[in-house]
Amino acid sequence: MAMTQPASTYEQHRHDAIRAAAAVFADKGYHGSSTRDIAERLGIKQGSLYYYFKSKEEALVEVCLYAMRDYVQHMEAITASDQPFEAKLLATITSHVSKYREQNGAMKVYHTERLYLPEAKREKLYRLGSGYRQKLETIFDDAVRHGDLRPDLDCHFATQMVIGTCNAWGELIARDPDIDLFDVIRKCADLLSNGFIRK
Amino acid sequence: MAMTQPASTYEQHRHDAIRAAAAVFADKGYHGSSTRDIAERLGIKQGSLYYYFKSKEEALVEVCLYAMRDYVQHMEAITASDQPFEAKLLATITSHVSKYREQNGAMKVYHTERLYLPEAKREKLYRLGSGYRQKLETIFDDAVRHGDLRPDLDCHFATQMVIGTCNAWGELIARDPDIDLFDVIRKCADLLSNGFIRK
Amino acid sequence: MAMTQPASTYEQHRHDAIRAAAAVFADKGYHGSSTRDIAERLGIKQGSLYYYFKSKEEALVEVCLYAMRDYVQHMEAITASDQPFEAKLLATITSHVSKYREQNGAMKVYHTERLYLPEAKREKLYRLGSGYRQKLETIFDDAVRHGDLRPDLDCHFATQMVIGTCNAWGELIARDPDIDLFDVIRKCADLLSNGFIRK
Amino acid sequence: MAMTQPASTYEQHRHDAIRAAAAVFADKGYHGSSTRDIAERLGIKQGSLYYYFKSKEEALVEVCLYAMRDYVQHMEAITASDQPFEAKLLATITSHVSKYREQNGAMKVYHTERLYLPEAKREKLYRLGSGYRQKLETIFDDAVRHGDLRPDLDCHFATQMVIGTCNAWGELIARDPDIDLFDVIRKCADLLSNGFIRK
DNA sequence: AATGAATGAGAGTTCATTCAT
DNA sequence: TATGAATGAACTCTCATTCAT
């Protein structure tokens, strides 16, 4: 059972182009990358890139969309599932941090280069991703209501904190391939849940 | 009590130039900024920038050094002080996060653009900043030994977590001037210390 | 009998670019010429030059190599030939001085601008050209041994003298198109052989 | 008995500036030199140069004039003297070639950079120097008439040849301080007079 | 007599983009 | 489907020159 669309040759090649762009942008930043860099990584000539993107900016948009793929759905699945808070948190962090090791760095690009897009396009991406934060926040809301979390918890703040922490670790593990991904995830979830202090 | 060095006119103007560069780099990224942008912000002509920096790259180095100024010393003072762990953590977070609202964004530039410097210069900056992490780690080591923190705590991990969290919040508060800095600091310290979970 | 290689369009255009650079450098000197000057002479826009040379310096190198083409081989052919000394000298001078009227001044550029190349590249060119002097010197050595030339002749000095004289006349005939090339060559060979003095 | 004018301090300093310019132009060429290079060699700041020259071009003119100083007079003295041809030739060559080791390379600058001056100024310099060639030519004319030289000698050509040869050797000895100046002069005069061929 | 500070013009170079083939 | 060739705009950087001090 194929999980991705059969995909015409063009779509396949375009997908490769997006992944090449992701890798190059992740490495050198959007403004530090040239279309030639991307083309070289793809093994084609500079001009040929324009068969797949109508501009460099479009390439960035596509990389960001690629990064967002399955991102929100994942969160929705976690929210809908019938697990205790700590399991949901672990699942969230796993999903988020792992993404930094996948998709040729697209997630990193989304996080750091998205801002260079013109307002309009940035807004569209933002809307795409904001469901994520909302869903995550409801996990916190529910858990507080249910008595699992501190009753004084600022759920909005906690949500940002989780996301920010995931992004921070994501950067680190994207840069250093020697870091043990699951060790990071476990400790991260533990510390966020329980804090540094001895009980 | 003089708060700043007397400083020659040249030094003063150069300082202004560094701050202008910091602001522009923070806004558009190193590669996305032009020397004209910086000059314009300073109110001089493009070519005149080279009276203060011998290259755009040198400007980036200076911005990073500016960001690092007092940074490690602050940490050393906190380490040396005779306060309980939670006070030290609060002081650390305050010092770190506040920096993102100071110095025209130099701290953000240091964090996100430093990587575009050639190996040699990056290394030198790195050495300057690495004392920070070490000092912070000793705070954790001491507190674990003293019984204030969980005995199973991975202090190295915890250190990275604090720094990463501070940087993540730093980005947010730098971008959004409406965020209440001290609210963030307080909640951040609280959550890191005590976690989300109800005791 | 094909006299030039078939040559791809790119090679042909690049050749034109080298000749344009030769002409401009010969006229205004390397540092006095701009890439725009060269491009204009070629009838393309400045930026397009970089499709043919990756830097202005590379253009200078190519012009120098162009000047050296066939230069040493010519000398080798003369050396190997079975002619008396005076014929060989005449052939040498002819070959050398004529070059100043050919190849759009590349020889002049080689002679006067080569020095502005960085050590490494200059060295490589030098090695290419140094065979010339050596071959010429053997002509003198042989002729002295054979009794055609004065037995007290400093052959190394004589070689330099021929080359220097050729270059001096080359400059003159390159600058003034009215000078009769073959008149110069003949008189030059005569005077070098026989001197000013009446016998 | 002072041989140069008493000279105001200004004149002395200006003289130093001309010599500094000569050295720098000789080393890097007119277009390859910056006014900062010259100022640095003088030990003053760039802007201060303009106290001595109203433009870089004027500096070049002054260097050329400096090179020409005593040049023609020397030739006149030689012409007027009552020596045989060979002594006059030797004196001429000595005077000319030696100049390349004097005056900080001004002669080399005159020879190679003069052409970059605008027509008008070049013309003026040319007139200054052309007396030299004329005087030298009369030496040849006289010697032919007197029967010392070959009756078929093209005196104009011979004159150019002497000058060209002197300049060629001048370049060599200016570049390489190890060359024995008087050895060059002697051999040069000998070969020009008597040629390579065995009598 | 000399300098610090600035400038405007122009340099070499890169690059996103186009388009005929 | 992809390329070779070119372009024009922008970029970093240099430099001759000016001028108040």
Side-chain angles (χ1 to χ4, degrees):
Chain A
M1 187 173 87
M3 296 179 63
T4 54
Q5 68 280 29
S8 65
T9 308
Y10 177 82
E11 283 310 330
Q12 257 169 5
H13 284 189
R14 186 160 200 267
H15 184 69
D16 293 343
I18 293 169
R19 289 176 51 85
V24 173
F25 289 160
D27 189 31
K28 313 173 124 187
Y30 175 65
H31 284 119
S33 307
S34 75
T35 55
R36 162 171 270 117
D37 292 334
I38 301 171
E40 250 162 34
R41 187 170 231 269
L42 249 182
I44 63 175
K45 293 297 158 56
Q46 186 178 24
S48 311
L49 250 201
Y50 286 74
Y51 186 66
Y52 299 109
F53 305 119
K54 75 178 209 300
S55 71
K56 187 185 173 190
E57 196 178 281
E58 186 187 285
L60 176 54
V61 171
E62 291 301 319
V63 169
C64 290
L65 288 172
Y66 177 47
M68 290 288 95
R69 180 134 72 236
D70 312 325
Y71 186 63
V72 182
Q73 289 92 318
H74 234 121
M75 192 72 254
E76 278 168 1
I78 294 169
T79 313
S81 76
D82 189 26
Q83 305 169 90
F85 171 81
E86 289 194 66
K88 285 181 176 172
L89 179 65
L90 189 68
T92 301
I93 294 173
T94 303
S95 153
H96 196 142
V97 173
S98 305
K99 260 199 164 278
Y100 272 84
R101 279 254 173 94
E102 294 160 6
Q103 298 172 132
N104 276 18
M107 192 66 191
K108 183 182 171 188
V109 174
Y110 172 79
H111 183 226
T112 60
E113 310 297 327
R114 169 184 35 126
L115 299 162
Y116 299 131
L117 253 11
E119 185 67 23
K121 292 180 184 166
R122 204 162 69 233
E123 198 65 29
K124 246 174 80 181
L125 278 174
Y126 173 79
R127 250 175 287 129
L128 241 180
S130 71
Y132 186 85
R133 191 169 54 247
Q134 286 164 19
K135 284 290 168 194
L136 180 51
E137 196 164 335
T138 68
I139 294 183
F140 278 95
D141 289 334
D142 292 349
V144 168
R145 212 173 311 118
H146 197 262
D148 294 334
L149 302 187
R150 298 160 50 175
D152 67 329
L153 190 69
D154 177 337
C155 290
H156 185 69
F157 188 92
T159 305
Q160 292 276 31
M161 182 111 169
V162 171
I163 294 174
T165 305
C166 286
N167 285 329
W169 279 108
E171 293 281 331
L172 288 176
I173 68 137
R175 212 177 302 151
D176 180 352
D178 292 335
I179 296 180
D180 177 342
L181 181 60
F182 292 102
D183 185 52
V184 166
I185 291 169
R186 207 175 349 100
K187 286 175 176 162
C188 202
D190 175 21
L191 287 181
L192 284 172
S193 292
N194 305 307
F196 301 143
I197 303 280
R198 181 190 214 169
K199 308 269 162 63
Chain B
M1 186 172 86
M3 296 180 59
T4 54
Q5 70 279 30
S8 66
T9 307
Y10 177 81
E11 279 320 322
Q12 260 168 4
H13 285 186
R14 187 162 199 269
H15 184 71
D16 293 343
I18 293 169
R19 288 176 53 86
V24 174
F25 289 160
D27 189 30
K28 313 173 125 187
Y30 176 64
H31 284 120
S33 308
S34 76
T35 53
R36 161 168 276 117
D37 292 333
I38 301 171
E40 250 161 35
R41 187 170 232 271
L42 250 183
I44 62 175
K45 295 297 157 63
Q46 182 183 203
S48 310
L49 247 203
Y50 287 76
Y51 188 63
Y52 298 108
F53 306 119
K54 70 182 203 300
S55 68
K56 186 186 175 187
E57 194 179 284
E58 186 186 286
L60 176 53
V61 171
E62 290 301 318
V63 169
C64 289
L65 289 172
Y66 177 47
M68 290 288 96
R69 182 135 68 238
D70 313 325
Y71 185 65
V72 180
Q73 288 92 317
H74 235 118
M75 193 72 255
E76 277 168 3
I78 294 169
T79 313
S81 75
D82 190 27
Q83 304 168 91
F85 171 80
E86 287 193 70
K88 283 181 176 173
L89 180 64
L90 189 68
T92 300
I93 295 173
T94 303
S95 152
H96 195 140
V97 173
S98 305
K99 261 202 162 273
Y100 273 83
R101 278 255 174 92
E102 293 161 8
Q103 297 173 136
N104 276 19
M107 191 66 190
K108 183 183 171 188
V109 174
Y110 172 80
H111 183 226
T112 60
E113 309 297 327
R114 172 183 31 127
L115 298 163
Y116 299 129
L117 252 11
E119 184 68 21
K121 290 176 186 169
R122 205 164 65 233
E123 199 66 28
K124 249 173 82 179
L125 278 174
Y126 174 79
R127 248 175 287 129
L128 244 181
S130 72
Y132 187 83
R133 194 173 50 246
Q134 286 163 20
K135 284 291 169 192
L136 180 51
E137 196 165 336
T138 67
I139 295 183
F140 279 95
D141 290 334
D142 293 349
V144 168
R145 212 173 309 117
H146 199 261
D148 293 334
L149 302 186
R150 298 161 49 177
D152 66 328
L153 189 69
D154 177 338
C155 290
H156 185 70
F157 188 93
T159 305
Q160 292 275 31
M161 183 111 171
V162 171
I163 293 174
T165 306
C166 287
N167 285 329
W169 278 109
E171 293 280 332
L172 287 176
I173 68 136
R175 213 177 302 152
D176 180 352
D178 292 335
I179 296 180
D180 177 342
L181 180 60
F182 291 102
D183 185 52
V184 166
I185 291 168
R186 204 172 357 95
K187 286 176 175 161
C188 198
D190 176 21
L191 287 182
L192 284 172
S193 292
N194 304 306
F196 302 143
I197 304 280
R198 178 191 216 171
K199 308 240 169 84
Chain C
M1 185 172 88
M3 296 180 62
T4 55
Q5 70 279 30
S8 67
T9 306
Y10 177 81
E11 272 334 312
Q12 258 168 6
H13 286 186
R14 187 161 199 267
H15 184 70
D16 293 343
I18 293 169
R19 289 176 52 86
V24 174
F25 290 159
D27 189 30
K28 313 173 123 186
Y30 175 65
H31 284 120
S33 308
S34 76
T35 54
R36 160 168 275 116
D37 293 333
I38 301 171
E40 250 163 34
R41 187 169 233 271
L42 249 184
I44 62 175
K45 294 299 158 60
Q46 183 182 204
S48 310
L49 248 203
Y50 287 77
Y51 188 63
Y52 298 106
F53 306 119
K54 70 181 203 302
S55 69
K56 187 186 174 189
E57 195 179 284
E58 187 186 286
L60 177 53
V61 171
E62 290 301 318
V63 169
C64 290
L65 288 172
Y66 177 46
M68 290 287 95
R69 183 136 66 238
D70 313 323
Y71 185 62
V72 181
Q73 288 93 316
H74 236 119
M75 193 71 254
E76 277 168 1
I78 294 169
T79 313
S81 74
D82 191 26
Q83 305 169 89
F85 171 80
E86 287 193 69
K88 284 181 176 172
L89 180 64
L90 188 69
T92 301
I93 294 172
T94 303
S95 152
H96 196 141
V97 174
S98 305
K99 261 201 162 275
Y100 273 83
R101 278 254 174 94
E102 294 160 8
Q103 297 172 135
N104 276 18
M107 192 66 191
K108 183 182 171 188
V109 173
Y110 171 80
H111 184 227
T112 60
E113 310 297 327
R114 172 183 32 130
L115 298 163
Y116 299 128
L117 252 11
E119 185 67 21
K121 291 177 185 169
R122 205 163 66 233
E123 198 66 28
K124 248 173 82 179
L125 278 174
Y126 173 78
R127 247 174 289 130
L128 244 180
S130 72
Y132 187 83
R133 194 171 52 246
Q134 285 164 19
K135 284 289 170 192
L136 180 51
E137 195 163 337
T138 66
I139 294 183
F140 278 95
D141 289 334
D142 292 348
V144 167
R145 213 173 311 117
H146 198 262
D148 293 334
L149 301 187
R150 297 162 49 177
D152 66 329
L153 189 70
D154 178 338
C155 290
H156 185 70
F157 188 93
T159 304
Q160 292 275 30
M161 183 111 170
V162 170
I163 294 173
T165 306
C166 286
N167 285 329
W169 278 110
E171 294 279 333
L172 288 176
I173 68 137
R175 213 177 301 151
D176 180 352
D178 292 334
I179 296 180
D180 177 342
L181 181 60
F182 291 102
D183 185 53
V184 166
I185 291 168
R186 205 176 352 100
K187 285 175 177 162
C188 200
D190 176 21
L191 286 182
L192 284 172
S193 292
N194 304 308
F196 301 144
I197 305 279
R198 178 191 216 171
K199 309 239 170 85
Chain D
M1 186 174 89
M3 297 180 60
T4 54
Q5 69 280 28
S8 66
T9 307
Y10 177 80
E11 284 309 331
Q12 257 170 4
H13 284 188
R14 187 161 199 270
H15 184 70
D16 293 343
I18 293 168
R19 289 177 51 86
V24 173
F25 289 159
D27 190 31
K28 312 172 127 189
Y30 175 66
H31 284 119
S33 307
S34 75
T35 55
R36 162 171 270 118
D37 291 333
I38 300 170
E40 249 163 36
R41 187 169 231 269
L42 248 183
I44 64 175
K45 293 297 157 60
Q46 187 179 207
S48 311
L49 249 203
Y50 286 75
Y51 187 64
Y52 299 110
F53 306 118
K54 75 179 209 301
S55 70
K56 188 186 172 189
E57 196 179 281
E58 186 187 285
L60 177 53
V61 171
E62 290 301 318
V63 170
C64 289
L65 288 172
Y66 176 47
M68 291 287 94
R69 182 134 72 237
D70 312 325
Y71 185 62
V72 181
Q73 291 92 318
H74 235 119
M75 193 71 253
E76 277 168 0
I78 293 169
T79 312
S81 74
D82 190 24
Q83 304 170 92
F85 171 80
E86 288 193 68
K88 284 180 176 172
L89 180 66
L90 189 68
T92 302
I93 294 173
T94 302
S95 154
H96 196 141
V97 173
S98 305
K99 259 199 164 275
Y100 272 84
R101 279 253 173 93
E102 293 160 6
Q103 296 172 132
N104 276 18
M107 191 65 191
K108 183 182 172 188
V109 174
Y110 172 79
H111 183 225
T112 60
E113 311 296 326
R114 169 182 35 124
L115 299 163
Y116 300 131
L117 253 11
E119 185 67 24
K121 292 180 184 166
R122 206 163 66 234
E123 198 65 28
K124 248 173 80 182
L125 278 173
Y126 174 78
R127 249 174 287 128
L128 242 180
S130 71
Y132 187 83
R133 193 172 50 248
Q134 285 163 19
K135 284 290 170 194
L136 180 51
E137 196 164 335
T138 67
I139 295 183
F140 277 95
D141 288 335
D142 292 349
V144 168
R145 211 173 311 117
H146 198 262
D148 293 334
L149 301 188
R150 297 160 51 176
D152 65 330
L153 190 69
D154 177 337
C155 289
H156 185 69
F157 188 93
T159 304
Q160 291 277 32
M161 181 110 170
V162 170
I163 293 174
T165 305
C166 286
N167 285 329
W169 278 108
E171 293 281 331
L172 288 176
I173 68 138
R175 212 177 303 152
D176 179 354
D178 291 335
I179 295 180
D180 178 343
L181 181 61
F182 292 102
D183 185 53
V184 165
I185 291 168
R186 206 173 354 96
K187 285 175 176 162
C188 201
D190 175 22
L191 287 182
L192 284 173
S193 293
N194 304 307
F196 302 144
I197 304 280
R198 179 189 213 173
K199 309 268 162 61

